[in-house]
Amino acid sequence: MTQPTLPTGFEDLSLCLDWNLPTADQRQRKRQASSAAELRIFYDRMLPRLPDALAEVDRFPLGALPESHHALYNLALSLAEVAPHIELYSGSPSVPYAFEEARFVAVHGGQETWRGLRPMAA
C-alpha cells in the first residue's frame, strides 16, 4: 500500500492522516477509540481548513475523485464524524444518553465513500 498524499497546499494536514479512513465504519471506530483530547486536536487542525478542502474536492464529480484527493476527502468526512462530539457532546467519543452505537449497523458502512455509491449498491 502506498503512503497517502494530500493535494498541493494541504501539506499541513499531513499530521491528520491517521484520520484518512475510506469507510463510515472505519471513521466511526476511530472516533469511538479516540480520547476527547485526540478528537479535539483533529477538530482544531481540520476545521479551519474545511472550506478550502471542500472547494478542492468539489472540483470533481462524486465517484470520479482522483486518487490524489482521496485522503483530503476522507479527512473532511472524518471531521463530519468528529464535529458533533466536540460541538454537542463536550468531546465525548460516544453519544451520551443514547443506545449503544454498536446496535446500529450502517448498510453502506463498509463502502469507500469517495466512490459515491448508493447505500444499497454492491
Side-chain angles (χ1 to χ4, degrees):
M1 188 166 132
T2 61
Q3 179 69 22
T5 59
L6 292 161
T8 301
F10 293 94
E11 297 84 1
D12 59 308
L13 295 178
S14 64
L15 295 171
C16 299
L17 283 174
D18 57 327
W19 288 92
N20 171 29
L21 303 165
T23 72
D25 288 348
Q26 290 172 322
R27 292 187 291 272
Q28 181 184 32
R29 282 193 300 270
K30 169 80 170 158
R31 182 218 354 121
Q32 290 171 328
S34 297
S35 68
E38 290 167 329
L39 295 181
R40 173 55 78 176
I41 289 168
F42 172 67
Y43 178 88
D44 287 346
R45 285 182 179 149
M46 189 63 199
L47 186 65
R49 301 292 281 138
L50 186 62
D52 293 334
L54 293 178
E56 180 64 25
V57 299
D58 199 35
R59 296 187 313 116
F60 307 94
L62 187 60
L65 193 66
E67 188 173 349
S68 61
H69 286 62
H70 288 187
L72 186 61
Y73 183 71
N74 293 337
L75 291 177
L77 292 174
S78 287
L79 180 62
E81 178 73 33
V82 167
H85 296 270
I86 296 298
E87 297 169 1
L88 303 173
Y89 307 140
S90 302
S92 173
S94 61
V95 179
Y97 311 109
F99 288 108
E100 182 182 334
E101 289 181 74
R103 294 175 62 186
F104 297 96
V105 179
V107 174
H108 65 282
Q111 293 177 356
E112 292 179 322
T113 311
W114 70 268
R115 293 183 186 279
L117 301 174
R118 292 188 329 261
M120 296 303 288

